[in-house]
């Protein structure tokens, strides 16, 4: 049987419609659906509505109505990221469970989780943490530029190959940089040439100049410019700000994918011959582990030992004299670290409030609303009968009766759909309760169970600023997401990890 799916995309700020972020989401969703063997039959685009309340989003409403119509046979709803779907936990969960009633899965490209209690648990973690982080950040971040950066918008001068869409700052507000039509393709091609490993920086610069780089940029390309470009993760979508020493995924369209960037970087900057993309499963901390000395991301490499291959994380920066540590050892330490981490008490409180209290409230409210609609449907059905009578006794002509009946049937259909919005049952609460227990008690266990993309999602949530690898081959945290905290007793004894400040209620 063919598996049919729909896509739902959303931008949160009306000014974002201008850029292609809806399109980017759609493309990612399509690719994802294809890989899962799903056929997309419809796309719903929410243009510039806040995700705060499901009710204010007409496209989501259409989408839910479409999904709940049996004849459409939808088996999955694909979103780019759960926060596109809902920023509000209760409503997000309610919608997911509503769709579950129709045997429709909600799939997220970014947080690809399984449809089982564990998978659902993780999805809920992502949604909760996303929401809480936002709330906490909202309170704490006074710096507008930093807030902007964290939302995925590059607030500085554009990197080579990108430009601003409009002339004035005011017009560009809330918009990511767009590709500079002449330079972007040249840079893109340069990355692909670089990854072959045949060219050095000077040769790459020459190629770029041959393609007219100098005509569009204020100077000709040089080995320095090539070096600068190849080192920037911005080109695959990951923004780095030296000012705040923070990374954030950007809303701009990347020029290349991450694997291309990695290969080009390894081949030209690290001068590694025959670099092959590592088996990432062996290095779950790649992308989060940084060298303490230079701040750079640690790279990975297998090395031939006496008893076969040994896997290392290492800093490739020559000035660091190869800070290198066995992967096995880092992972052990990382597990110890996870043991010391708990969601902050505020999260636990909020979580219980939100999920259980609000949830119960939500269910009661939903039941009430459903009853109102049921009554309305009953009324409408009565009216249908009276129309039939009116036709029989000649009050209505057959034509009039037909028209009246059509209107009422239409109204009944609409009401049925509305009613389906409120079907939430106690059962869902049990799932949420179960996962909370698991998640709150044992992050380390949770992490172990996850596959690579989920591991990375979770660790990025907990350690948004990465983990440092010290020269004495130990690791320490930079700072935690405000939703998590270190268990203090352990932290002080070890004395290495920073305690997040000012976030406990
Ligand atoms: Zn280093």
């Amino acid at each position: 049987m063919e598996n049919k799916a729909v896509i739902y995309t959303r931008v949160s700020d009306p000014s974002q419609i201008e850029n292609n972020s809806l399109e980017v989401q759609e493309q990612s969703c399509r690719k994802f659906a294809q890989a899962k063997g799903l056929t997309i039959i419809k796309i719903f685009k929410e243009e510039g509505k806040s995700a705060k309340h499901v009710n204010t989003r007409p496209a989501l409403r259409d989408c839910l109505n479409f999904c709940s119509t049996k004849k459409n046979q939808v088996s999955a709803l694909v979103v780019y990221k759960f926060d596109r779907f809902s920023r509000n936990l209760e409503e997000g969960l309610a919608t997911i469970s509503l769709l579950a009633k129709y045997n429709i899965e909600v799939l997220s490209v970014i947080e690809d989780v399984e449809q089982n209690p564990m998978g659902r648990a993780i999805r809920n973690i992502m949604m909760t943490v996303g929401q809480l982080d936002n709330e906490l950040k909202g309170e704490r971040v006074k710096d507008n530029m930093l807030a902007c950066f964290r939302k995925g918008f590059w607030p500085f001068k554009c990197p080579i190959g990108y430009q601003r869409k409009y002339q004035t700052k005011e017009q560009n507000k809330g918009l990511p940089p767009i590709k500079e039509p002449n330079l972007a393709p040249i840079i893109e091609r340069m990355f692909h040439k670089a990854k072959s490993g045949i060219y050095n920086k000077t040769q790459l610069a020459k190629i770029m100049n041959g393609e007219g780089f100098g005509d569009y940029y204020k100077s000709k390309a040089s080995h320095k410019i090539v070096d600068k470009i190849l080192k920037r993760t911005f080109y695959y979508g990951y923004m780095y700000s030296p000012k705040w020493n923070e990374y954030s995924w950007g809303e701009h369209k990347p020029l290349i994918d991450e694997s291309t960037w990695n290969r080009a970087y390894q081949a030209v900057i690290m001068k590694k011959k025959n670099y092959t993309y590592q088996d990432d499963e062996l290095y779950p901390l790649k992308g989060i582990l940084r060298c303490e000395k230079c701040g750079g991301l640690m790279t990975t490499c297998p090395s031939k030992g006496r008893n076969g291959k040994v896997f290392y994380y290492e800093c490739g920066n020559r000035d660091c004299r190869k800070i290198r540590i066995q992967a096995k050892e880092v992972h052990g330490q990382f597990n110890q670290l996870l043991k010391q981490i708990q969601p902050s008490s505020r999260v636990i409180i909020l979580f219980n409030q939100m999920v259980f209290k609000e949830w119960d409230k939500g269910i009661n409210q939903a039941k009430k609303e459903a009853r109102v609609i049921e009554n309305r449907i009953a009324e409408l059905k009565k009216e249908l009968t009276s129309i039939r009578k009116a036709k029989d006794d000649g009050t209505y002509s057959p034509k009039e009766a037909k028209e009246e009946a059509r209107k009422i049937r239409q109204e009944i259909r609409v009401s049925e759909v509305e009613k389906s919005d409120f079907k939430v049952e106690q059962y869902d609460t049990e799932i949420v309760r179960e996962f909370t227990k698991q998640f709150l008690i044992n992050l380390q266990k949770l992490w172990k169970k996850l596959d690579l993309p989920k591991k990375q999602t979770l660790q990025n949530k907990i350690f948004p600023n990465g983990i440092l690898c010290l020269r004495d081959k130990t690791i320490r945290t930079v700072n935690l997401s405000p939703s998590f905290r270190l268990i203090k007793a352990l932290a002080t004894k070890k004395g290495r990890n920073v305690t997040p400040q000012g976030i406990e209620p």
Side-chain angles (χ1 to χ4, degrees), residues 135-198:
E135 282 171 12
L136 294 169
K137 275 178 191 167
E139 283 165 24
R140 284 146 45 94
V141 179
K142 293 282 177 280
D143 187 336
N144 243 333
M145 259 167 103
L146 177 58
C148 176
F149 178 80
R150 283 180 175 166
K151 272 192 209 150
F153 297 98
W154 184 246
F156 308 107
K157 206 181 130 210
C158 289
I160 309 170
Y162 283 88
Q163 63 183 17
R164 294 290 171 187
K165 192 173 166 104
Y166 299 108
Q167 298 291 325
T168 68
K169 240 185 171 174
E170 207 39 53
Q171 283 173 301
N172 285 315
K173 216 178 151 197
L175 292 178
I178 56 169
K179 288 181 191 176
E180 202 285 322
N182 300 304
L183 290 169
I186 297 176
I187 292 171
E188 196 181 324
R189 282 195 292 274
M190 188 275 281
F191 266 103
H192 286 285
K193 291 213 170 71
K195 103 182 157 181
S196 70
I198 310 168

Side-chain angles (χ1 to χ4, degrees), residues 291 293-295 315 317 320 323:
C291 165
K293 198 170 170 228
C294 68
C315 176
N317 192 335
C320 294
I323 291 179

Side-chain angles (χ1 to χ4, degrees), residues 225-496:
I225 287 180
V226 170
D227 181 84
K228 202 169 141 188
I229 293 173
L230 286 175
K231 281 178 179 167
R232 280 199 104 139
T233 56
F234 188 93
Y235 293 107
Y236 72 81
Y238 203 36
M239 312 188 298
Y240 173 67
S241 150
K243 186 177 169 188
W244 302 299
N245 190 25
E246 263 196 38
Y247 278 83
S248 169
W249 284 100
E251 289 281 336
H252 62 276
K253 247 189 178 174
L255 290 193
I256 45 158
D257 61 27
E258 188 178 348
S259 135
T260 301
W261 183 88
N262 240 305
R263 285 186 205 187
Y265 184 84
Q266 292 295 336
V268 181
I269 305 292
M270 307 310 293
K271 298 198 174 70
K272 275 203 181 139
K273 292 279 172 237
N274 305 322
Y275 173 76
T276 48
Y277 207 50
Q278 296 301 334
D279 186 355
D280 286 346
E281 293 285 339
L282 297 167
Y283 303 102
L285 297 180
K286 202 176 136 203
I288 189 171
L289 198 62
R290 300 180 167 282
C291 165
E292 186 205 29
K293 198 170 170 228
C294 68
L297 282 173
M298 307 276 282
T299 53
T300 55
C301 82
S303 175
K304 279 213 179 85
R306 219 169 289 164
N307 306 314
K309 264 188 180 174
V310 186
F311 300 94
Y312 291 97
Y313 290 94
E314 67 172 21
C315 176
N317 192 335
R318 259 185 257 160
D319 299 337
C320 294
R321 298 194 184 274
K322 277 241 156 97
I323 291 179
R324 142 194 277 226
I325 176 168
Q326 268 204 39
K328 219 167 67 190
E329 204 177 306
V330 185
H331 299 155
Q333 286 189 41
F334 182 72
N335 267 304
Q336 285 305 313
L337 182 61
L338 282 180
K339 270 192 196 166
Q340 300 170 23
I341 287 169
Q342 264 188 1
S344 71
S345 46
R346 172 164 177 162
V347 170
I348 298 173
I349 293 166
L350 281 174
F351 203 96
N352 282 309
Q353 273 177 2
M354 282 193 324
V355 180
F356 302 131
K357 240 183 175 162
E358 291 297 313
W359 183 264
D360 289 341
K361 223 165 70 190
I363 285 174
N364 287 335
Q365 185 59 27
K367 278 183 185 160
K368 237 190 251 165
E369 307 245 15
R371 232 172 288 134
V372 171
I373 296 170
E374 268 165 28
N375 290 340
R376 196 164 74 215
I377 293 172
E379 286 297 317
L380 289 166
K381 282 185 176 162
K382 261 189 226 158
E383 262 184 69
L384 266 186
T385 328
S386 62
I387 288 172
R388 235 168 276 142
K389 273 185 198 145
K391 190 184 85 180
D392 291 343
D393 65 24
T395 320
Y396 274 146
S397 74
K399 203 181 156 197
E400 281 168 337
K402 203 177 159 193
E403 177 58 21
E404 283 302 309
R406 192 193 59 81
K407 272 190 213 154
I408 289 169
R409 279 201 199 93
Q410 174 68 20
E411 226 175 296
I412 292 176
R413 265 197 297 274
V414 172
S415 302
E416 297 275 8
V417 174
E418 273 178 352
K419 196 180 90 179
S420 65
D421 272 357
F422 296 107
K423 275 189 196 154
V424 186
E425 277 164 28
Q426 208 67 41
Y427 165 74
D428 302 296
T429 319
E430 293 313 311
I431 296 171
V432 176
R433 245 179 245 283
E434 182 49 38
F435 110 77
T436 318
K437 224 165 53 194
Q438 294 229 18
F439 157 61
L440 296 181
I441 292 170
N442 206 330
L443 280 176
Q444 176 220 9
K445 219 181 195 172
L446 177 67
W447 189 80
K448 257 193 191 148
K449 276 192 184 174
L450 306 178
D451 63 19
L452 183 70
K454 285 176 232 155
K455 273 194 173 101
Q456 289 173 333
T457 313
L458 182 64
Q459 66 207 23
N460 288 337
K461 287 279 182 201
I462 305 176
F463 309 103
N465 295 319
I467 294 168
L468 291 184
C469 180
L470 280 60
R471 247 175 302 180
D472 65 359
K473 299 188 191 230
T474 54
I475 60 172
R476 73 174 182 90
T477 59
V478 182
N479 49 37
L480 300 179
S481 146
S483 299
F484 296 88
R485 68 177 176 92
L486 287 164
I487 301 167
K488 287 219 175 74
L490 283 166
T492 35
K493 207 166 89 193
K494 258 201 134 189
R496 286 204 166 278

